[in-house]
């Protein structure tokens, strides 16, 4: 339950950065300072020197490979519908860095974002100065460390009741794990960030299961039901002495068009709910996980009417998102084989005729299962164009085009189905949209964000 406390105040003076300076630090793809890390202790010590802003609110943590952003958004919406003052921390942003932080349903302003980053920078400087004075190596402070501390500071200063925190990567060493959540969810497990988290579902599940700790309410989403993954989750729960809740839902109506209504029931521990939301069918399991998580946090049933209104209005940017209607440009942030398969299933529900679909604009990141992404997406579209995003991890377009060509050859489709290869997103959009060509952009979150940012300005 919420534990509203006295207003939080940063315990020392902070040199305030301009917004552009704060964004430059957030966008740093290297490291901000130090050479001893990255470590979870970095964020713990930064929060300690700030006198623990995270202890001025309850924290809920959402981990997983697929569905964690939507689940976090639905959970924050459900709790807001119960009259709580909620904050939401997600990553990555689609277009602008402040999108990662929301307070009471609104993205924080540029000034609040810059202030939060300024506080985190000063906290990091003080921590590393103390380490230097003690003869210890300076911490490496990553951009995600910085943004997590910044968000928790902004949320504490806003006096929210509860903050829903999406794990950035894994769980064991993630910056959000420096907090002490009262409830956690693991939405699902897929092959993701394999260079860091492991090569098998079980190895990745072990990293994400680390968010489960004694005394916390635990919800396991439907994406954890694969036997090997569930075994890892159950072993972790037993070791921590907790009994997990396994979320589930029952579909009762699928949307028959873009923006159509999805109907499903959720039989949660405290109540059953019949819900109708304008989302694709794959969002039902994320909404169900969020309902279980909200109930687990509150320890009671939710107001059914408020829940319906909250979930129906909850935005899911970059998820089956129409960024332009004429000609159509639809983006989806699917970024691994499982999420790509869910996206294709949603397309099939709207229109099963592959030949009538728009061109696919495809990009991918090199640390993903790119071959699996290509296998999931390419057969679902009549034509494909590839490009690279503005990410240090972007797969070169020539390599991606080769994988697409191999898939087309395997299917026996003509080489002309590979429409074009572009070096970046702006040139791809300029060339394809100039001819009035409808597009679907998918394969990585960064592609969805760059397309949305370019077209929406």
């Amino acid at each position: 339950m919420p534990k509203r406390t006295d207003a939080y105040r940063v315990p020392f003076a902070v040199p305030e950065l301009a917004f552009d300076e704060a964004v430059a630090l957030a966008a740093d793809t290297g490291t901000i300072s130090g050479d001893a890390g990255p470590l979870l202790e970095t964020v713990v010590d930064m929060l300690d020197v700030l006198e623990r802003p995270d202890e001025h609110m309850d924290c809920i943590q959402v981990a997983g490979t697929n569905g964690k952003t939507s689940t976090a958004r639905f959970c924050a919406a459900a709790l807001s519908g119960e009259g709580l003052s909620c904050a939401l921390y997600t990553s990555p942003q689609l277009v602008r860095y402040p999108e990662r932080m929301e307070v009471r349903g609104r993205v924080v302003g540029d000034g609040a974002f810059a202030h939060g980053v300024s506080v985190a920078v000063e906290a990091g400087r003080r921590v590393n100065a103390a380490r230097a004075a003690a003869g210890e190596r300076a911490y490496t402070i990553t951009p995600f460390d910085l943004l997590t501390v910044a968000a928790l500071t902004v949320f504490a200063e806003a006096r929210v009741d509860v903050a829903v925190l999406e794990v950035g990567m894994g769980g064991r060493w993630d910056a959000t794990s420096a907090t002490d959540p009262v409830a956690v969810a693991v939405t699902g497990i897929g092959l993701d960030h394999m260079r860091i988290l492991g090569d098998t579902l079980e190895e990745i599940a072990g990293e994400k299961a680390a968010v489960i700790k004694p005394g916390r309410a635990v919800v396991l989403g439907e994406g954890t039901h694969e036997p090997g993954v569930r075994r890892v989750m159950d072993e972790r729960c037993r070791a921590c002495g907790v009994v997990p809740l396994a979320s589930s839902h029952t579909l009762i109506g699928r949307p028959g068009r873009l923006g159509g209504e999805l109907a499903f029931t959720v039989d949660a521990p405290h109540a059953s709910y019949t819900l109708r939301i304008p989302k694709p069918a794959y969002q039902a399991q994320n909404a169900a996980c969020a309902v279980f998580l909200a109930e687990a946090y509150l320890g009671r049933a939710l107001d059914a009417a408020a829940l319906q209104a909250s979930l129906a209005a909850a935005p899911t940017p970059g998820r089956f998102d129409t960024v332009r209607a004429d000609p159509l440009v639809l983006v989806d942030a699917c970024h691994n084989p499982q999420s790509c398969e869910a996206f294709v299933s949603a397309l099939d529900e709207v229109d099963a005729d592959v030949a009538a679909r728009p061109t696919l604009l495809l990009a991918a990141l090199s640390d993903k299962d790119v071959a699996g992404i290509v296998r999931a997406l390419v057969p679902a579209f009549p034509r494909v164009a590839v490009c690279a995003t503005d990410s240090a991890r972007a797969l070169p377009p020539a390599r991606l085009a080769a994988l697409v060509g191999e898939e087309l050859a395997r299917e026996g489709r003509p080489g002309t189905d590979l429409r074009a290869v572009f070096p970046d997103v702006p040139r791809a959009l300029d060339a394809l949209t100039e001819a009035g060509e409808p597009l679907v952009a998918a394969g990585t979150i960064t592609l969805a964000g760059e397309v949305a940012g370019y077209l929406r300005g």
Side-chain angles (χ1 to χ4, degrees):
M1 293 295 292
K3 50 180 182 184
R4 192 185 297 273
T5 67
D6 293 337
Y8 171 76
R9 291 178 178 82
V10 177
F12 42 74
V14 174
E16 296 289 343
L17 297 168
F19 176 71
D20 289 345
E21 294 175 302
V23 168
L25 288 171
D28 183 356
T29 56
T31 57
I32 295 165
S33 64
D35 56 6
L39 301 166
L40 187 57
E41 288 87 343
T42 308
V43 182
V44 171
D45 287 356
M46 289 169 71
L47 292 173
D48 282 346
V49 81
L50 285 167
E51 298 179 1
R52 301 301 306 204
D54 54 307
E55 292 183 356
H56 287 251
M57 69 199 92
D58 283 344
C59 292
I60 295 174
Q61 194 178 25
V62 181
T65 305
N66 301 311
K68 60 183 175 177
T69 302
S70 295
T71 298
R73 287 189 171 278
F74 286 138
C75 182
L79 294 176
S80 295
E82 295 294 315
L84 298 178
S85 175
C86 290
L88 176 66
Y89 180 56
T90 60
S91 64
Q93 75 287 347
L94 273 187
V95 181
R96 303 180 75 245
Y97 276 91
E99 295 169 15
R100 296 188 180 207
M101 307 174 194
E102 294 187 17
V103 173
R104 300 181 184 95
R106 294 183 178 274
V107 174
V108 302
D110 290 359
F113 176 84
H115 169 68
V117 172
S118 301
V119 171
V121 167
E122 178 61 16
R125 187 195 68 77
R126 288 173 177 249
V127 166
N128 274 339
R131 289 180 65 82
E136 299 174 320
R137 296 171 66 188
Y139 283 138
T140 294
I141 301 173
T142 69
F144 194 72
D145 293 340
L146 197 76
L147 287 171
T148 302
V149 174
L152 293 168
T153 300
V154 170
F155 298 163
E157 289 182 331
R159 298 190 70 180
V160 302
D161 297 317
V162 56
V164 182
L165 310 175
E166 178 191 347
V167 170
M169 185 188 301
R172 187 184 309 279
W173 307 115
D174 190 76
T176 62
S177 292
T179 66
D180 186 18
V182 296
V184 301
V186 182
T187 59
I189 304 297
L191 295 176
D192 202 17
H193 297 294
M194 292 182 289
R195 292 179 185 171
I196 298 171
L197 302 181
D199 296 324
T200 68
L201 289 179
E202 289 81 0
E203 287 176 331
I204 294 171
E207 293 300 310
K208 296 181 187 292
V211 301
I212 300 169
K213 294 182 180 177
R216 296 179 178 177
V218 176
V219 175
L220 299 179
E222 293 171 63
T224 64
H225 292 177
E226 191 275 334
V229 169
R230 188 56 190 262
R231 182 172 60 254
V232 171
M233 295 293 160
D234 287 344
E235 288 174 355
R236 177 67 179 179
C237 287
R238 282 194 296 272
C240 294
V242 299
V243 178
L245 301 171
S247 71
S248 62
H249 75 282
T250 302
L251 280 177
I252 57 176
R254 295 176 179 271
R257 57 179 176 81
L258 284 176
E261 193 173 71
L262 166 67
F264 58 101
T265 59
V266 179
D267 292 325
H270 294 280
S272 295
Y273 309 91
T274 298
L275 301 165
R276 299 178 183 275
I277 60 177
K279 306 290 183 187
Y282 68 81
Q283 289 288 17
Q285 70 177 40
N286 298 326
C289 188
V291 170
F292 271 70
L293 186 56
E295 272 202 1
Y297 168 66
L298 293 172
R300 60 170 174 80
L302 309 177
D303 180 283
L307 179 65
Q308 166 62 45
S310 298
L311 295 189
T316 51
R319 272 70 183 176
F320 222 76
D321 187 2
T322 300
V323 298
R324 194 174 68 184
D326 187 22
L328 174 71
V329 178
L330 179 110
V331 302
D332 195 271
C334 57
H335 58 282
N336 54 46
Q338 294 85 358
S339 59
C340 290
E341 289 164 4
F343 172 61
V344 169
S345 294
L347 281 177
D348 290 341
E349 292 168 9
V350 175
D351 186 357
D353 185 2
V354 171
R357 289 177 183 167
T359 295
L360 170 68
L361 179 60
L362 178 66
L365 300 184
S366 58
D367 62 345
K368 306 290 184 176
D369 180 3
V370 180
I373 291 170
V374 167
R375 285 194 299 270
L377 289 178
V378 167
F381 292 90
R383 296 165 303 281
V384 183
V386 303
C387 67
T389 62
D390 187 23
S391 167
R393 294 151 50 211
L395 188 72
R399 288 178 57 191
L400 181 56
L403 289 172
V404 171
E406 290 172 8
E407 178 63 24
L408 292 173
R410 190 185 66 80
E411 294 177 30
R413 292 166 59 179
T416 54
D417 286 354
L418 179 55
R419 172 103 162 57
V421 179
F422 299 100
D424 53 42
V425 172
R427 276 179 275 193
L429 291 176
D430 287 345
L432 296 171
T433 61
E434 185 176 339
E437 189 164 350
L439 293 173
V440 170
T444 171
I445 297 170
T446 57
L447 177 64
E450 288 183 32
V451 171
Y454 190 81
L455 295 181
R456 287 172 172 166

